Amino acid sequence: MFDGLKKKLDSFREDVEETAEEKADEAAADRDGVEERGGDAGAVDESDAASDAAPDAETTADRRGDSGDAAETEGESRPAAGASAGDRPAGASAGGAADGDPPDDATDADTDTDRSAALASEEAAAALREEDEEDAGPGRLKRAAAFATGKVIIEEEDLEDPLWELEMALLESDVEMNVAEEILDTVREKMIGEARAQVETTGKLVETALHDALYEVISVGQFDFDERVELAEKPVTIVFTGVNGVGKTTSIAKLARYFEERGLSVVLANGDTYRAGANEQLQKHADNLGKKLISHEQGGDPAAVLYDAVEYAEAHDVDVVLGDTAGRLHTSNDLMAQLEKIDRVVDPDMTLFVDEAVAGQDAVERAKQFNEAAEVDGAVLTKADADSSGGAAISIAYVTGKPILFLGTGQGYADLERFDPERMVERLVGGEE
């Protein structure tokens, strides 16, 4: 079940493991090089930082040296600051400046220029260091720590290609687009910046990230179905909806047996009054299971049939009413209006949407529109045993906000499986087949 999607998820894990293995080899080579030079990881990191700043420091020193040379040259033709008036060269004014010498304010300007150049150089160096830190991913300290301990930090660029492949795999498996994006966002959040020492632990990290991402979208709206039925006032009325040919009638028969095994009595009701042969089909299941069937003539009012079934259950202390409805096309306004009438007249305790797991995106879209018409409480997916994609199973709960409750896994009455999100995720990312 869902083995096609499982293979694609395994492929994503292998891609990330391969990336981690390559990074681990590169890190090991770098460490070996440091050890050969007698250094350590911290020294490598510090030397990198020093080399980044060195050109700026040299530039500053050169500028300061040039300024010093200029000042020294000027000093040969300028008297010392403390010289007396008598020591001044002939032609010097009382203000202390000889003819042709630059005034004191010119010297101050030169000094200010030197200081401005030095400051600009320091600011440029700081800006470069800041850019380096911004480009450092998890940061220099984290890199240095990972380098020293032999760990591998998973960064966004490491996941870019594998995540793109994962997105394509999900969409090809009929996972709804918004659901696929939610899964990718969660995987990205769980993995980027994480450090793992070995490829085996990287594989475990991927498995955990996928597990959490899938569980978040699959488990939406889950409730304890058995407990709700047990605690509800009897009779519990459950109405089944869905398009033609998806297995509603067979699913009703399977649920009748499911309840019988739990000690609950059941009556069946055929609200599919438009389809020729519908009464006969459900009657056969009722006979096989030893259950009572409530039905009207073909063309009758479906809401009236279901209402009569509830009345029968109340009169005979029956625990559960299971009502079939016509296979409604979600594009048919008249039929959808009939479904809304059933909801008003019968006020069922639960309305379950039935569709085929193999329908993929079509099942997801139909579930959304049926939910808008009749406020479904959950879904039953038939033919789950024949579905290798799993797209509908992953998407329906997230799109509708209502859980998948059962999976049909065959044609027999016993071939009905309670949907367990945890087990489903284990099938997809764990070792369970």
Side-chain angles (χ1 to χ4, degrees):
M1 188 186 300
F2 313 129
D3 54 333
L5 179 57
K6 177 177 173 56
K7 290 178 181 178
K8 293 172 181 178
L9 295 175
D10 288 342
S11 177
F12 171 72
R13 176 166 45 196
E14 291 168 2
D15 288 345
V16 178
E17 284 180 339
E18 183 178 349
T19 298
E21 185 175 10
E22 291 173 356
K23 292 191 72 172
D25 291 343
E26 292 173 1
D30 290 342
R31 284 195 307 277
D32 291 342
V34 170
E35 291 171 0
E36 289 176 2
R37 295 193 299 271
D40 58 22
V44 171
D45 196 66
E46 290 170 4
S47 64
D48 288 344
S51 64
D52 290 341
D56 298 311
E58 290 172 4
T59 301
T60 302
D62 290 344
R63 289 174 177 168
R64 287 177 175 169
D66 292 342
S67 299
D69 292 343
E72 186 176 337
T73 303
E74 292 172 358
E76 293 176 358
S77 60
R78 185 183 302 133
S84 65
D87 294 333
R88 294 190 186 104
S93 65
D99 294 340
D101 285 342
D104 290 341
D105 56 352
T107 302
D108 293 339
D110 290 341
T111 303
D112 290 342
T113 300
D114 292 339
R115 288 176 179 170
S116 298
L119 180 60
S121 178
E122 291 173 1
E123 290 176 348
L128 287 173
R129 285 194 296 272
E130 184 176 347
E131 288 177 5
D132 288 342
E133 290 172 1
E134 290 176 353
D135 294 338
R140 287 183 178 274
L141 291 178
K142 195 167 184 180
R143 285 180 183 277
F147 183 90
T149 57
K151 292 183 178 180
V152 175
I153 294 176
I154 297 176
E155 302 179 73
E156 187 162 6
E157 56 266 30
D158 300 328
L159 294 178
E160 184 176 346
D161 289 341
L163 281 175
W164 186 86
E165 293 290 345
L166 176 60
E167 182 177 13
M168 293 301 101
L170 292 171
L171 295 178
E172 289 169 1
S173 297
D174 289 327
V175 176
E176 200 268 343
M177 181 172 293
N178 291 329
V179 179
E181 290 175 354
E182 178 68 18
I183 291 172
L184 293 175
D185 288 343
T186 302
V187 169
R188 196 178 284 112
E189 177 184 339
K190 297 281 184 182
M191 294 187 63
I192 291 176
E194 289 296 318
R196 289 296 178 266
Q198 300 172 355
V199 172
E200 289 77 13
T201 53
T202 300
K204 186 63 178 177
L205 170 65
V206 178
E207 182 177 325
T208 300
L210 285 173
H211 174 283
D212 293 349
L214 290 168
Y215 186 82
E216 284 182 16
V217 299
I218 290 174
S219 63
V220 170
Q222 277 293 320
F223 62 86
D224 190 324
F225 177 82
D226 293 339
E227 182 180 62
R228 180 176 292 191
V229 171
E230 181 181 348
L231 297 178
E233 183 179 350
K234 306 300 187 289
V236 178
T237 304
I238 303 176
V239 173
F240 294 76
T241 67
V243 297
N244 286 310
V246 298
K248 286 195 315 300
T249 305
T250 303
S251 294
I252 290 171
K254 290 178 179 180
L255 259 296
R257 183 179 182 209
Y258 178 89
F259 285 124
E260 181 182 32
E261 290 176 341
R262 285 154 181 77
L264 298 174
S265 55
V266 177
V267 62
L268 306 181
N270 180 36
D272 186 0
T273 60
Y274 299 105
R275 180 169 61 90
N279 273 343
E280 290 78 4
Q281 183 182 8
L282 193 54
Q283 184 65 61
K284 182 177 180 181
H285 287 305
D287 292 341
N288 291 341
L289 296 166
K291 303 301 176 186
K292 172 71 175 177
L293 172 66
I294 305 298
S295 61
H296 288 187
E297 294 297 323
Q298 185 175 341
D301 184 352
V305 178
L306 296 175
Y307 182 84
D308 287 350
V310 174
E311 291 284 301
Y312 176 90
E314 290 175 347
H316 295 81
D317 294 325
V318 176
D319 297 313
V320 182
V321 177
L322 300 179
D324 196 4
T325 62
R328 286 168 170 75
L329 294 173
H330 59 289
T331 54
S332 173
N333 293 330
D334 291 341
L335 291 175
M336 294 301 276
Q338 184 62 242
L339 188 59
E340 291 173 356
K341 180 181 178 181
I342 292 174
D343 199 42
R344 291 193 309 272
V345 172
V346 180
D347 189 21
D349 295 281
M350 278 188 271
T351 299
L352 301 186
F353 169 75
V354 182
D355 211 327
E356 298 174 333
V358 293
Q361 292 273 12
D362 287 341
V364 176
E365 182 61 26
R366 288 194 290 256
K368 182 163 57 177
Q369 297 198 30
F370 270 89
N371 182 55
E372 292 171 356
E375 189 66 27
V376 303
D377 295 279
V380 178
L381 289 182
T382 64
K383 300 183 181 179
D385 54 317
D387 179 27
S388 65
S389 299
I394 288 176
S395 305
I396 283 179
Y398 185 85
V399 169
T400 64
K402 307 301 172 56
I404 297 171
L405 297 173
F406 290 93
L407 296 177
T409 56
Q411 294 300 311
Y413 293 129
D415 295 330
L416 186 71
E417 179 183 310
R418 276 286 285 120
F419 183 79
D420 182 345
E422 182 63 38
R423 188 179 179 193
M424 166 97 176
V425 172
E426 284 299 318
R427 281 174 170 166
L428 291 172
V429 301
E432 183 178 343
E433 297 295 336

